[in-house]
Amino acid sequence: MNFKHIVLGITGSIAAYKAAVLLRALVKKGAEVQVLITPAGKEFITPLTLSTLSRKPVISEFFSDRDGTWNSHVDLGLWADAMLIAPATASTIGKMANGVADNMLVTTYLSCKAPVFVAPAMDLDMYAHPATQQNLDRLRSFGNHIIEPESGFLASGLEGKGRMAETDDIVSVMERFFASSHDLEKKKILITAGPTYEKLDPVRFIGNYSSGKMGFALAEACACRGAEVTLVAGPVALAVRHPAIRRIDVESADEMYDAAAKAFPQSDLAILCAAVADYKPETQSEQKIKREKTGDMTLRLVRNRDIAATLGEMKQPHQTLAGFALESNDGLVNAREKMQRKNLDLIALNSLQDKGAGFGGDTNRVTLLDRSGGVMEIPLKSKREVADEMIDYLIKK
């Protein structure tokens, strides 16, 4: 973390006393740390202690004095290489998740272009409450990194999950992030994401439940590691955040096929995450189909072109091709057969039997299989965390 700029946000939790140790550890690793503290945080640890350790004035309010000077949350967000909120209370997590910009810490978070790490700290019932869990899931969906709290003895005298992660663990998470942040530098990566819509008429289509969240998480993970990403996205309600991602919006399988085939020759790695329709209607009506006039209807489907198989045939020795398999039965057998048939180097197996995995949600659970026979299980985690582990595995292999 040498020479990295880190904004350390401290909120009103009894765990704020640990922030002094955390701050010292970050400084010892060579980081330049700017402390932001909420008014409630100052009730638990003094700005004097923090400014002495960071060698910088601690920022808490928008306005420092009554002389017209003020602290710019925008400048801080641009200065940071990472923002770490530790401890993060349920209140601050809720404000971050819902854009309640009523203090300097949250406004800086909303302005921050850098990756954000959140280390929750609260009593076990507060942490387990559905509102808190929903807010954490929302932060994960924004691409934030949640450093899970530990189980243990809490300030309330109760015992359970809610204690802020230990300093060494938080520092290790930050170090691993910065160590991997440029391991895909100058690499060109193609990613497909989301569903495809195959038109029946101007208002109806055949589609599926894919949200695109896994593919977008992979695109963000690759871009954060220095890659130049081309993201071919089906119709999804998601936004791209990283400037290194070039987004190409498509609707049908044919449009996705054309975009992927055009981008692949210039790519070092392609990850085919989209849920592409296998079939499309043989004919499309130019006018809305009226059931009163049509009556019962037989729909004839024809096969779409196979994107994975085509790229597998195009693949050159220097290129790597990865895909996904969503299976309902005989997952390992079917996934390995698909990997061989389509000339993939790696396949990520999703099972419809796994609760919390697959379409629509913010979490996923996959099994990675490679051509050398390697197998790696990634347990249920946020899709961004799954994306990071999948990229780690690809780089290692």
Side-chain angles (χ1 to χ4, degrees), residues 70-283:
W70 65 294
N71 295 307
S72 171
H73 57 278
V74 175
D75 289 346
L76 274 174
L78 293 172
W79 174 83
D81 294 306
M83 184 174 186
L84 168 63
I85 297 100
T89 59
S91 174
T92 293
I93 289 168
K95 290 177 180 180
M96 292 167 63
N98 293 283
V100 180
D102 67 347
N103 62 42
M104 187 67 185
L105 190 153
V106 179
T107 54
T108 301
Y109 161 72
L110 293 173
S111 301
C112 191
K113 301 289 187 184
V116 177
F117 298 81
V118 182
M122 64 197 75
D123 203 55
L124 74 163
D125 293 320
M126 293 179 70
Y127 181 74
H129 195 281
T132 304
Q133 291 302 310
Q134 186 176 25
N135 286 331
L136 287 169
D137 286 341
R138 195 168 192 191
L139 290 182
R140 289 187 185 98
S141 74
F142 297 161
N144 298 157
H145 304 265
I146 308 300
I147 304 173
E148 290 290 327
E150 298 178 353
S151 294
F153 188 74
L154 304 170
S156 63
L158 300 174
E159 193 162 342
K161 188 171 183 178
R163 191 170 72 178
M164 190 176 86
E166 294 300 324
T167 294
D168 289 347
D169 294 331
I170 295 173
V171 172
S172 292
V173 168
M174 303 290 287
E175 284 188 306
R176 285 198 303 272
F177 170 78
F178 284 121
S180 66
S181 60
H182 297 292
D183 51 13
L184 290 177
E185 196 162 7
K186 298 184 179 178
K187 297 295 183 184
K188 295 185 177 182
I189 297 178
L190 165 67
I191 296 173
T192 64
T196 62
Y197 290 174
E198 311 303 323
K199 284 186 177 179
L200 292 171
D201 63 18
V203 298
R204 301 182 181 91
F205 61 86
I206 297 172
N208 58 61
Y209 296 114
S210 174
S211 64
K213 291 178 180 179
M214 190 69 239
F216 274 63
L218 283 162
E220 292 283 345
C222 290
C224 286
R225 292 170 180 246
E228 180 183 323
V229 180
T230 298
L231 175 63
V232 181
V236 296
L238 297 173
V240 165
R241 298 181 66 192
H242 202 288
I245 300 174
R246 180 173 72 98
R247 177 174 178 170
I248 301 172
D249 288 310
V250 299
E251 183 174 89
S252 68
D254 280 336
E255 291 171 347
M256 186 169 284
Y257 179 99
D258 291 338
K262 182 178 179 181
F264 184 60
Q266 294 80 44
S267 302
D268 300 293
L269 165 66
I271 305 176
L272 306 180
C273 190
V276 184
D278 292 322
Y279 295 92
K280 64 182 177 182
E282 184 177 42
T283 59

Side-chain angles (χ1 to χ4, degrees), residues 336 339-340 368-376 393 397:
R336 285 202 179 280
M339 180 168 55
Q340 295 295 329
L368 302 181
L369 311 172
D370 65 60
R371 292 181 71 87
S372 66
V375 179
M376 177 181 168
Y393 189 85
K397 290 291 179 179

